[in-house]
Amino acid sequence: MSIKFKKLNNSIIKCKKCPRLIKFSKKISTIKRKQNISEVYWGKPVTGFGDIKAKLMIIGLAPAAHGGTRTGRAFTGDKSGDFLFYCLRKVGISNLPTSKHIKDGLKLNRTYITNILKCVPPNDKPLGIELNNCSNYFDTEIQSLKNLKVIITLGKVAFDNCIKFYKKNFIINKKLIFKHGVKYYLPDGKILIPSYHPSPRNVNTKVINTKKMMSLLIMAKKYSKL
Ligand code: SF4
């Protein structure tokens, strides 16, 4: 890992800019979930992970209460991660079909996974000020991935906040609307592909399924030349 990413990740882990979210993470990590009651929860902000030479970036909303907030890695130890990594393995982006814990040997093929917000918000609903507070970390991540060609956003909040980054830094003339599987050319030459979030609710209601997700990932692989 580069010194830049190490510094960034250290700042994220120590961050206390959003008192409501820090308090909520601590509460979850103290009360815990029945099936994880004997575990020590991570309980701090969760950084992105993967290959810093990534050509593909996958962006979610925030760490899950008993997933990333427990294990310390995004999309790890929760149902969204189970779905996502099953699909990532199927298309050859991940070496494992699961993401269980931080020492499971998971490796990503030229891919970086992160969340817009590094702390879990109550009811998965962040406040505007919290998204603003955290945006500097996301901005640094995206600007530091120099080989990036394709961005997949999981869910509308990730999509909107990715667009916010582009509007801050570039002139965007066209209206970009959240729609699963469409392809947008961004002003810096990257391609943005919005996807439904693989949350248990979206999977159970069949808003997203493995076929839809895999075809989106195959498209992302093709355009990022993975
Ligand atoms: S959400 Fe981001 S800005 Fe807020 S406390 Fe967590 S890491 Fe810091």
Side-chain angles (χ1 to χ4, degrees), residues 12 15-18 21-22 45 117-119 133-134 137:
I12 293 173
C15 183
K16 292 189 170 40
K17 276 191 243 173
C18 312
L21 302 188
I22 295 297
L117 199 71
K118 313 304 184 201
C119 296
N133 286 347
C134 216
Y137 298 134

Side-chain angles (χ1 to χ4, degrees), residues 101-160:
H101 56 86
I102 213 149
K103 290 186 179 158
D104 57 7
L106 179 72
K107 284 197 176 65
L108 298 170
N109 174 15
R110 299 296 292 268
T111 297
Y112 191 84
I113 298 182
T114 194
N115 284 305
I116 285 289
L117 199 71
K118 313 304 184 201
C119 296
V120 58
N123 304 314
D124 291 327
K125 292 211 176 353
L127 304 176
I129 190 174
E130 292 160 352
L131 289 164
N132 275 343
N133 286 347
C134 216
S135 64
N136 279 350
Y137 298 134
F138 172 71
D139 295 0
T140 307
E141 282 177 310
I142 199 165
Q143 283 165 334
S144 305
L145 295 170
K146 300 291 183 200
N147 300 299
L148 208 56
K149 291 191 174 356
V150 176
I151 299 166
I152 297 175
T153 50
L154 302 174
K156 191 166 181 311
V157 179
F159 175 79
D160 288 345

Side-chain angles (χ1 to χ4, degrees), residues 89-104:
R89 174 68 195 117
K90 277 273 184 196
V91 302
I93 296 179
S94 156
N95 68 330
L96 297 177
T98 56
S99 175
K100 294 286 180 209
H101 56 86
I102 213 149
K103 290 186 179 158
D104 57 7

